[in-house]
Amino acid sequence: MLAVLAGGLAVPEPGWAGTPPRADLPRVQIWSDPVDGLAIGGFDPLAYRFYAEPREGRSGLELSWGGAVWRFLNPGNLAAFARDPDAYMPRYGGYDVTALAANNAVQGHPGIWAIHENRLLLFANAVNRRLWEEDKAGTMARAALAWPEMSRRIPPFVPPAGKLSIPVSDDPAYALKDMPGSRPQAMKPELARPSGILP
């Protein structure tokens, strides 16, 4: 089955016959916004590798894959992702690796990240990133063990029926989302990231 993109490019939908299953991705489950379905807050997953920083994708350059909508900076990034999504999407769908290692599924923050073994990792906060740095091998091993069960517990994105009203904070860096056990998530990390925290 193919999904047709703007410009007429057709790309395979997830689960098509040519996509081999991955050991760390038993069921495709992507960190996506509960309102619009944007993966990793609308940031281009290739920008981390090619620009060494998070960059927001453009609304005109989108691809629906894995139950989420991915945005890209340019058509080349979109085409590269369409050819091999597993190579560019964040490991564990963008969920915080340190939290997974502790048997918790917590969305990673697009502004707190690392490239490890040629894969993008996202972290919910700077503390979790620091804990991962102190024990990369152990954290990655525990996350790999926890992911199959955790990925089954994460509900898939279901587009809302009708228009939703979204609460607005006084701080323009935040879009408030009700997420169990968490504070509002920064949708523009460059505005919310304290100085001194390295991505």
Side-chain angles (χ1 to χ4, degrees), residues 171-185:
D171 182 348
Y174 287 89
L176 296 180
K177 298 188 290 185
D178 293 327
M179 298 180 65
S182 71
R183 297 185 346 196
Q185 301 293 299

Side-chain angles (χ1 to χ4, degrees), residues 99-170:
L100 282 174
N103 288 310
N104 293 309
V106 178
Q107 291 181 347
H109 187 293
I112 307 173
W113 60 282
I115 300 291
H116 178 67
E117 296 177 350
N118 214 26
R119 293 293 305 275
L120 172 62
L121 302 177
L122 298 179
F123 302 89
N125 53 56
V127 172
N128 283 5
R129 188 180 192 280
R130 178 73 60 193
L131 291 171
W132 170 79
E133 287 173 352
E134 292 173 359
D135 182 18
K136 290 179 184 178
T139 302
M140 296 304 290
R142 290 188 301 277
L145 287 174
W147 179 239
E149 178 60 29
M150 289 290 105
S151 69
R152 283 189 284 275
R153 291 185 194 172
I154 300 167
F157 171 72
V158 177
K163 197 171 185 177
L164 297 179
S165 74
I166 304 167
V168 177
S169 168
D170 292 336

